Amino acid sequence: QKEVEQNSGPLSVPEGAIASLNCTYSDRVSQSFFWYRQYSGKSPELIMSIYSNGDKEDGRFTAQLNKASQYVSLLIRDSQPSDSATYLCAVNSFGNEKLTFGTGTRLTIIP
Amino acid sequence: NAGVMQNPRHLVRRRGQEARLRCSPMKGHSHVYWYRQLPEEGLKFMVYLQKENIIDESGMPKERFSAEFPKEGPSILRIQQVVRGDSAAYFCASSPGATVSWSSYEQYFGPGTRLTVT
């Protein structure tokens, strides 16, 4: 079982709709959760971090964490063509700062 | 407010040569991490360093690879006797360090060095 799993996609969403990206993790002591956006040929860009159960909103982005289900998600409201990218879920564990990444979900926003 | 800097951005080496990749963390950040991204694969952790100390090198191959973060100057990832399988994008990230708040765990990535071994 992979430590961090994401649906590789591609996920196609019409412009203006809500894009929903999901991630599950296997290590129960995981502590910090991050979403990165990576455009083709570019480096990962941190867009959201979440540390406690519930929702965290930042502009058009909402991260949701459910530690009991070992599940973290990212919602993108009012999707724009510029949101088309690969979204990487990353996790670290208590006392261990290295990030474990999922393989990413490729998102395409259709104008 | 400069971000994480890496150089060179592109590096071509012949098999058997040495590759040196440099990383300067964001201002105020004392923790440096190196990750490798192979074509069509995810990011894989290699090594985590603080000034003059290697904290975790569990992801780094035991042979040919080494890393340092000296008291002065950038962090360096060194690959000796490169092979074709070393061709990848190497990313450096930095963080303030897990001392003050949860946000201290946030890692910010540099633009990467794309290594091609011919």
Side-chain angles (χ1 to χ4, degrees):
Chain A
Q1 183 186 8
K2 291 182 182 176
E3 292 184 65
V4 180
E5 292 205 55
Q6 296 181 255
N7 186 327
S8 62
L11 175 65
S12 296
V13 172
E15 183 176 355
I18 296 175
S20 178
L21 303 159
N22 304 316
C23 173
T24 58
Y25 59 94
S26 60
D27 188 350
R28 286 198 168 272
V29 298
S30 295
Q31 184 181 39
S32 307
F33 307 86
F34 307 90
W35 283 100
Y36 286 84
R37 177 175 64 196
Q38 187 174 27
Y39 294 112
S40 181
K42 301 296 185 182
S43 62
E45 174 190 7
L46 179 65
I47 54 173
M48 288 289 285
S49 58
I50 187 166
Y51 308 101
S52 55
N53 281 327
D55 294 1
K56 179 182 177 184
E57 187 174 320
D58 184 1
R60 295 187 296 113
F61 299 99
T62 299
Q64 299 174 318
L65 175 61
N66 183 325
K67 288 189 177 181
S69 300
Q70 295 176 241
Y71 176 91
V72 60
S73 65
L74 179 71
L75 301 177
I76 307 174
R77 288 181 299 282
D78 188 23
S79 297
Q80 304 295 311
S82 59
D83 295 327
S84 297
T86 296
Y87 288 80
L88 304 170
C89 173
V91 172
N92 72 4
S93 302
F94 181 77
N96 188 344
E97 293 192 32
K98 73 179 185 184
L99 291 178
T100 300
F101 283 85
T103 52
T105 298
R106 189 180 305 174
L107 173 66
T108 300
I109 305 302
I110 304 167
Chain B
N1 186 13
V4 178
M5 294 191 288
Q6 290 187 250
N7 67 79
R9 297 288 299 275
H10 299 275
L11 182 61
V12 179
R13 285 286 179 266
R14 291 200 180 104
R15 279 179 297 170
Q17 291 185 321
E18 178 180 288
R20 284 194 178 217
L21 288 61
R22 295 175 184 78
C23 168
S24 295
M26 284 178 71
K27 187 176 180 181
H29 287 191
S30 58
H31 294 203
V32 166
Y33 314 82
W34 287 92
Y35 294 85
R36 178 165 66 174
Q37 189 170 41
L38 292 166
E40 303 304 322
E41 290 191 19
L43 276 161
K44 302 292 185 188
F45 168 80
M46 298 182 74
V47 61
Y48 160 35
L49 310 102
Q50 296 177 21
K51 283 287 186 182
E52 300 185 280
N53 283 304
I54 296 174
I55 307 302
D56 181 353
E57 57 183 346
S58 60
M60 200 154 66
K62 296 272 189 288
E63 296 182 357
R64 302 188 298 107
F65 286 73
S66 62
E68 62 175 3
F69 189 14
K71 187 176 179 181
E72 301 291 337
S75 175
I76 295 175
L77 179 68
R78 182 180 177 207
I79 311 172
Q80 295 178 291
Q81 299 176 324
V82 297
V83 301
R84 288 223 172 101
D86 297 332
S87 296
Y90 291 82
F91 292 102
C92 169
S94 72
S95 74
T99 55
V100 178
S101 67
W102 287 112
S103 65
S104 298
Y105 286 102
E106 293 175 354
Q107 297 182 19
Y108 296 88
F109 281 76
T113 294
R114 277 140 185 92
L115 172 66
T116 302
V117 179
T118 62

